[in-house]
Amino acid sequence: MARELLSVLAMEHFALKPLPYGQRALEPHVGRKTVALHYEKHHAGYVKKLNELVTGKPEATESLESMIRSSEGAIFNNAAQIWNHDFYWRSMHPDGGGAPEGALNEAIVGNFGSFERLRDEFLEAGAGHFGSGWLWLVSHRDGLRITTTPDADLPLRYGENALLCADLWEHAYYLDYHNERARYLEAFFDHLTNWEFAQANWSNAAVNTPMLRRASR
Ligand code: MN
């Protein structure tokens, strides 16, 4: 591992979380070189930058989530991008894809009509999002929905709970798919989506959301 990356991993306050799998694990859908550059340059770069921005400031003692809720500008952008990338890596799994089971599957059918309809909405929203940003499956007090956010923005800011996300920045797919974002998103959805992660996030959200807790009684 490059010395520069090791120094980011060892940084005082905000650390670069390890990837949950090897850099080749998502092939052929997302290539090793894409993962290496995305993790070691882009994701690590946000960690390095945030540490530089907050060193010696009161923010250095805050959690990433509280910083995201209370900051703006460069601190918000770098903190949110760290959160988004941690979430993105875990939204994928080498044995991902297929469809979720049990309660989440029922909730998807209830909210979207069918799993196929969720897939259509996910792909349409991702293809239709202009420029850089993120594509999300979220839960909120009325159920599940697909949404996109620009640049570093994220559902946490709007009281929504992220279940899954796909990175829409070109660095996430350009080496593998060039300008064809739709093909990247199809490969992501069909082969990489980590439904166990989504299920766990949804369960946590249901426990933590008063409306959902009341509804489930
Ligand atoms: Mn990215």
Side-chain angles (χ1 to χ4, degrees), residues 38 42-43 46 81 85 88-89 133-134 167-169 171-172:
H38 198 169
H42 294 274
H43 187 175
Y46 296 122
Q81 284 294 73
H85 282 89
Y88 173 62
W89 299 124
W134 297 85
D167 193 336
L168 298 179
W169 289 56
H171 63 233

Side-chain angles (χ1 to χ4, degrees), residues 16-81:
L16 177 63
K17 279 193 194 169
L19 275 179
Y21 34 69
Q23 294 187 347
R24 290 181 189 281
L26 306 179
E27 289 189 334
H29 311 294
V30 177
R32 184 203 63 82
K33 197 170 180 187
T34 296
V35 173
L37 289 168
H38 198 169
Y39 179 67
E40 295 180 6
K41 302 297 178 186
H42 294 274
H43 187 175
Y46 296 122
V47 174
K48 186 167 183 282
K49 185 67 182 175
L50 184 64
N51 279 303
E52 287 168 7
L53 287 167
V54 303
T55 295
K57 295 187 179 166
E59 286 97 328
T61 59
E62 284 184 36
S63 72
L64 201 59
E65 282 81 3
S66 85
M67 187 171 289
I68 286 167
R69 288 178 202 279
S70 63
S71 68
E72 292 175 357
I75 289 181
F76 169 78
N77 284 335
N78 286 279
Q81 284 294 73

Side-chain angles (χ1 to χ4, degrees), residues 38 84-92 134 165 167 184:
H38 198 169
N84 292 343
H85 282 89
D86 285 336
F87 200 83
Y88 173 62
W89 299 124
R90 284 155 185 80
S91 293
M92 297 182 284
W134 297 85
C165 79
D167 193 336
Y184 153 67

